[in-house]
Amino acid sequence: MTTEAAPFRIFVDADACPVKDEIYRVALRHGLPVIVVAGGFIRVPDDPLITRVAAGSGMDAADDWIAERTGGDDIVITADIPLASRCVKAGSAVIAPNGKPFTEESIGMTLAVRNLMTDLRSSGEVTGGPRSFTPRDRSTFLSTLDTTIRRLQRQRAARVHQQS
């Protein structure tokens, strides 16, 4: 008798995520559960694969909730660089809403730049904000998410094959 491993999950840092609808479509196409985490109530489609979590209004409550539960084969969608760093360290695949993957190789420099910009802004330097979200970002995100799902599925299949 064989037991199939639970599917990996997609965690969404949802409060300011511009690609939630795209995540739902791709995840449902692959039959993957989605956990949508926000500080408070957020609308989600009525589907048994989609779970809504109101993590609370405390500082970083949603980030802490995600970081404490993700790892291994999970995918995390977030623009929050400190959360991305925590999730990469836990072994998750992490993607920004613009399609940029956060990896072990890139997260250190990304976090350092983010901290530098925070320091500059706190000292009164005008640094501007992030660039506007574009249709190209949405397209890049969809491609990166689909590629990441397929990579994780191949890795999981290879592990199962090695164990048998």
Side-chain angles (χ1 to χ4, degrees), residues 26-91:
V26 172
L28 295 177
R29 187 174 74 232
H30 287 280
L32 298 174
V34 178
I35 299 95
V36 181
V37 184
F41 177 82
I42 191 164
R43 294 185 78 83
V44 300
D46 184 20
D47 189 286
L49 285 175
I50 301 172
T51 305
R52 172 184 48 226
V53 174
S57 59
M59 180 106 160
D60 297 326
D63 296 354
D64 291 341
W65 195 96
I66 293 169
E68 290 166 5
R69 289 164 179 83
T70 188
D73 290 337
D74 293 326
I75 298 171
V76 176
I77 311 299
T78 186
D80 185 287
I81 295 168
L83 173 60
S85 178
R86 293 168 68 185
C87 295
V88 165
K89 289 176 184 170

Side-chain angles (χ1 to χ4, degrees), residues 8-158:
F8 50 86
R9 303 163 296 177
I10 299 174
F11 288 87
V12 182
D13 182 12
D15 283 323
C17 181
V19 290
K20 290 186 286 288
D21 290 336
E22 289 80 1
I23 295 166
Y24 303 146
R25 281 197 313 271
V26 172
L28 295 177
R29 187 174 74 232
H30 287 280
L32 298 174
V34 178
I35 299 95
V36 181
V37 184
F41 177 82
I42 191 164
R43 294 185 78 83
V44 300
D46 184 20
D47 189 286
L49 285 175
I50 301 172
T51 305
R52 172 184 48 226
V53 174
S57 59
M59 180 106 160
D60 297 326
D63 296 354
D64 291 341
W65 195 96
I66 293 169
E68 290 166 5
R69 289 164 179 83
T70 188
D73 290 337
D74 293 326
I75 298 171
V76 176
I77 311 299
T78 186
D80 185 287
I81 295 168
L83 173 60
S85 178
R86 293 168 68 185
C87 295
V88 165
K89 289 176 184 170
S92 297
V94 184
I95 307 169
N98 65 4
K100 175 186 175 189
F102 294 106
T103 65
E104 289 182 15
E105 294 78 26
S106 69
I107 196 65
M109 182 59 76
T110 303
L111 192 56
V113 169
R114 179 247 184 218
N115 292 340
L116 173 64
M117 298 307 281
T118 299
D119 290 346
L120 287 172
R121 282 189 294 274
S122 69
S123 69
E125 188 73 29
V126 178
T127 60
R131 63 180 184 79
S132 297
F133 189 77
T134 67
R136 182 179 179 118
D137 292 330
R138 190 174 310 279
S139 177
T140 301
F141 172 78
L142 283 166
S143 176
T144 303
L145 179 59
D146 199 58
T147 300
T148 301
I149 289 170
R150 292 183 191 287
R151 177 178 52 82
L152 290 174
Q153 288 171 331
R154 284 191 309 271
Q155 289 172 345
R156 178 175 277 192

